[in-house]
Amino acid sequence: MEFTWTPEQLDLRSSTRRLLETRAPLARTRELAEAGQRRDEAAWSAMTQQAGLLALGVPEEHGGAGGSRVEQSLVFEEAGRVLLGGPLLPTVLAIEALLAAGDDAALEEHLPGLVEGERTATLAVLGSTGRWRPSSPTTVAARSGDGAVLSGTEELVLDGADADLLLVLARAEGGPTLYAVPRDAEGVTVERLDVLDLTRPMARLHLAAVPARPLGLTGGGAGVVERVHRAAAVLVAAEQVGAMDTLVARTAEYARTRRAFGRPIGAFQAVKHRLADMAVQLEMSRSAAAWAAFQDPGSADEAFGAAVAASYCGEAFLQAAKDTIQLHGGVGFTWEHDAHLFLRRARAAATLTGPPSEHRAALVPLVLPDLVAPGHTEVPS
Amino acid sequence: MTTTAPLTHRDLVADTARRVVAEHPPESTPRAEFLGACFDAGLAWVHFPRGSGGLGVEAGLQDVADSILQGAGGPVPFSINPMGYGMAGPTVVEHARPEVAAELLRPLATCEELWCQLFSEPGAGSDLAGLATRAVLDGDTWVVTGAKVWTSLAHRARRALLLARTDPDAPKHRGLTYFVLDMTDPGVEVRPLRQMTGAAEFNEVHLDGARIPDTHRLGEVGDGWRVAMTTLMNERRAIGGGSSRRGSGSIGAALQLWRERPDLRTPALRDRLTALFALADAARLTGERQRVESGDRPIGPEGSIGKLVGAELNQAVYDFCMDLLGVEATLYGSYDPPDGVDDETDEHAGPHDVQRAFLRSRANTIEGGTSEVLRNILGERLLGLPGDIRVDTGRPWREVPRG
């Protein structure tokens, strides 16, 4: 039932919080971001090998811990609290893609290493346009012997310079198809990008006749990516909630202690009311994100919940990040203060799975089904 | 050996409701008689004590009773006597002396006596505790003089919840006393108050020497503010309850208009509509989450979120509808009072009602707690921010400037 978490799930939340507070606190996130590093190795092995966070959502027959999107979203909420970036999100989404593609040989080959955290993976599915358009990939798959070779440019690939395995969406004869490519394969050129969100490195990948293995059915790639896209929207929304929670707590604390005109600034209604709005939007975001996580992956309810959460939480977190800076005054604008890390994350996360307006467009056929005429192009998919 | 499973409170409520429906078929039983049977069976407010319209069980079980009673075609008493059921009942049962509660509750529950609430005054809205209506003791009777405003149903109500000042020399919160007023008293005059929509949902009530027996005082003299808190907490709960159906409420009206008027659609308006829909759904889910998470416990300050968001959402939705209508938005239905309607309501029905709803929605952020007061509550009680500077604390009410 929605909004009812089991004791095990609540334990997972608190143990993940403890783990991240000790091994990957916000201060560590900042150090990594400033040093241009994708992860803290000790924290990564604690999260994966010890805590098994990547095994959540993976069925037991594939070496996972079972569980559902609810568990995953609890973990991402905690990750959002400390702005944990790096390989976590891309690897989880790649695991989702492998599972959705349902290719047994590929699952056997890749899943154990990914779940254990020994290897990492990422999606390269936005093509040269950098947009979520899984029905029209720009990378092209050509036949080569009994395999395929991929050529094209993949923009905005999360962790693309360092992930071990790339899952690339390419146009094949039978339709969009997902392929597995080792990042160090011959023909892959990596270009690191300067990014707004310093916690999430990205790369541009150039593929020049790179040998690749198809995953699942030829022509089934668009469906896999759509499914992963919804998972991404739900998990990013959970991250946004966690990050917003940190912002509300920290900014309220600042407003209770910082004094001006002889009073804590939180006593002034201009400050108090803006903070109240932050708290309201946090609670609303929490509801939207949690409801989406409780829906069955692949269901129409999940599509609905993901669209509402992505639209609402993305904008709410961005507003909270801006308000945090405003309410901190000058100190909030310094490099030393963490506020800009949140603003960077908020700005990037609001469009990571496509801009809020695209998520809202996806709501139209769900909210007003009678208005979608055949051939109508309201939904970008 | 046989064992009998203990009767859970839920079973008790459900069994009782089914028995009432069986013994008093709603379609053939007069309304007052049916509601009287519900009261006698303890289903009017299931959490009230037995004998006072309740069964002494969890308030959350009221839904169990209501769904059986109303599912069988029974009336919805809350919609007939909203102030009675929502606020007066809980206040009376908690604060009236037992024989007075016994006298008042049953006719309230049967809706033979409708109730209204005499709190706000022309000079006291958000600062309710600063109100000026005076009650002076004359023997064992209180004599009340003053003016109240924004009173729904006053013209049909038999009784009123009244907050009046009994000690002007005490600081404002400590000089108030709470009463139940008989609206048929000759010192009570009710005048309709025409609002900006043209309708008159509310009244002004002038009190000129209205008399109240001391037995109809709720709580101690000077303790009226505490008693009023019972009423106001129940008011927010009644308003904030809201619908939990996706796409209902004002956003439903906007979707309906969008369906009916394909000629008015533009991509920019579509994005606004879906953004409002996402907001409405996040608000709906927040209400649902708060209900699940609070269980049978009362909701804390976060309960104010539903009222705050719902009010601003309504305004944004009707702003959207007006923009959608374009030039047509400049028309208005009618300023004449509707024929044959006793109580004017401003609900959405008929042509040009978007315009009426647009005007009506301006009150949403004022009535039942202004958005400014709600933001103070959230800032102070949810986030622990310091209170406003108060210049009236501790000063006799008489000495505080008023406007």
Side-chain angles (χ1 to χ4, degrees), chain A residues 57-291:
Chain A
V58 177
E60 286 165 19
E61 67 259 34
H62 295 301
S68 65
R69 190 81 79 231
V70 177
E71 281 83 2
Q72 288 180 314
S73 81
L74 291 173
V75 168
F76 274 86
E77 185 178 332
E78 295 309 314
R81 218 176 265 285
V82 294
L83 296 183
L84 181 76
L88 179 70
L89 178 66
T91 302
V92 165
L93 295 179
I95 290 172
E96 289 286 323
L98 285 169
L99 289 167
D103 185 315
D104 284 338
L107 286 169
E108 205 170 309
E109 181 184 349
H110 297 297
L111 221 40
L114 294 176
V115 166
E116 281 293 304
E118 287 156 10
R119 307 184 74 233
T120 57
T122 189
L123 301 173
V125 299
L126 304 184
S128 61
T129 64
R131 305 186 70 185
W132 288 88
R133 294 284 183 276
S135 54
S136 48
T138 59
T139 293
V140 176
R143 248 182 236 273
S144 166
D146 56 355
V149 293
L150 307 185
S151 297
T153 302
E154 287 293 333
E155 293 284 354
L156 307 173
V157 180
L158 287 175
D159 201 32
D162 297 289
D164 301 301
L165 176 69
L166 309 172
L167 302 184
V168 184
L169 185 67
R171 193 165 75 235
E173 271 173 34
T177 304
L178 201 60
Y179 293 86
V181 178
R183 204 241 318 133
D184 55 8
E186 201 166 321
V188 178
T189 314
V190 169
E191 208 183 320
R192 284 181 197 271
L193 300 172
D194 284 324
V195 289
L196 182 70
D197 178 1
L198 297 168
T199 68
R200 285 215 166 111
M202 287 187 174
R204 177 183 296 128
L205 303 178
H206 301 281
L207 310 175
V210 181
R213 226 188 89 186
L215 295 171
L217 296 175
T218 302
V224 170
V225 172
E226 275 167 21
R227 198 174 158 113
V228 176
H229 184 221
R230 282 199 291 276
V234 174
L235 296 179
V236 167
E239 266 189 0
Q240 288 165 330
V241 169
M244 246 186 286
D245 198 80
T246 300
L247 291 181
V248 171
R250 286 189 164 204
T251 309
E253 171 65 22
Y254 185 73
R256 286 192 296 265
T257 49
R258 163 82 185 188
R259 288 174 173 267
F261 308 101
R263 303 214 71 201
I265 59 169
F268 299 107
Q269 290 191 355
V271 172
K272 183 181 294 178
H273 288 188
R274 199 186 274 247
L275 255 165
D277 285 337
M278 285 173 70
V280 167
Q281 293 187 24
L282 166 61
E283 289 307 306
M284 303 261 286
S285 299
R286 195 188 291 290
S287 311
W291 193 85

Side-chain angles (χ1 to χ4, degrees), chain B residues 284-300:
Chain B
R284 176 184 71 89
L285 291 170
T286 299
E288 216 162 280
R289 182 166 65 86
Q290 288 176 346
R291 273 191 287 278
V292 173
E293 289 180 350
S294 69
D296 296 330
R297 284 172 289 120
I299 292 179

Side-chain angles (χ1 to χ4, degrees), chain A residues 1-5 248 252 255-256 263-264 266-269 271-273 275-277 279-280 282-288 290-291 301 304 307-308 311-312 356-357 360-361 363-364 367-371 376-378, chain B residues 246 255-256 258-259 265 270-290 292-293 302 305 308-309 312 371-380 382-389:
Chain A
M1 184 181 152
E2 281 105 7
F3 308 129
T4 306
W5 288 270
V248 171
R256 286 192 296 265
R263 303 214 71 201
F268 299 107
Q269 290 191 355
V271 172
K272 183 181 294 178
H273 288 188
L275 255 165
D277 285 337
V280 167
L282 166 61
E283 289 307 306
M284 303 261 286
S285 299
R286 195 188 291 290
S287 311
W291 193 85
D301 279 338
F304 176 88
V308 168
S311 165
Y312 187 81
S357 60
R360 290 196 285 271
L363 272 176
V364 172
V367 175
L368 295 164
D370 48 322
L371 294 187
H376 211 270
T377 53
E378 303 238 56
Chain B
R246 185 190 286 172
L255 293 172
Q256 184 64 29
W258 184 264
R259 275 197 183 87
R265 295 177 203 155
R270 187 195 67 183
D271 187 58
R272 246 175 94 188
L273 175 59
T274 47
L276 289 168
F277 183 89
L279 176 62
D281 209 55
R284 176 184 71 89
L285 291 170
T286 299
E288 216 162 280
R289 182 166 65 86
Q290 288 176 346
V292 173
E293 289 180 350
E302 68 275 19
I305 291 175
L308 175 63
V309 173
E312 294 182 353
S371 294
E372 288 73 17
V373 165
L374 296 177
R375 286 189 167 88
N376 277 356
I377 290 172
L378 290 170
E380 291 167 25
L382 194 65
L383 299 174
L385 302 177
D388 282 339
I389 294 173

Side-chain angles (χ1 to χ4, degrees), chain B residues 175-239:
Chain B
L176 300 171
T177 303
Y178 201 110
F179 302 96
V180 173
L181 171 70
D182 183 342
M183 291 292 286
T184 61
D185 185 281
V188 177
E189 187 197 349
V190 177
R191 301 176 197 156
L193 177 60
R194 196 172 190 218
Q195 63 210 42
M196 67 161 74
T197 60
E201 287 174 77
F202 304 95
N203 302 279
E204 295 174 294
V205 178
H206 293 267
L207 304 168
D208 185 9
R211 298 183 76 83
I212 302 173
D214 188 51
T215 52
H216 282 202
R217 165 169 54 79
L218 303 191
E220 298 303 314
V221 174
D223 206 23
W225 186 252
R226 198 175 61 84
V227 181
M229 285 302 103
T230 312
T231 310
L232 293 178
M233 269 165 48
N234 282 288
E235 176 180 34
R236 285 218 178 105
R237 209 171 301 163
I239 291 177

Side-chain angles (χ1 to χ4, degrees), chain B residues 345-361:
Chain B
T345 58
D346 274 332
E347 282 165 17
H348 182 86
H352 304 304
D353 283 338
V354 166
Q355 291 88 327
R356 181 173 284 250
F358 162 76
L359 294 179
R360 180 62 182 82
S361 72

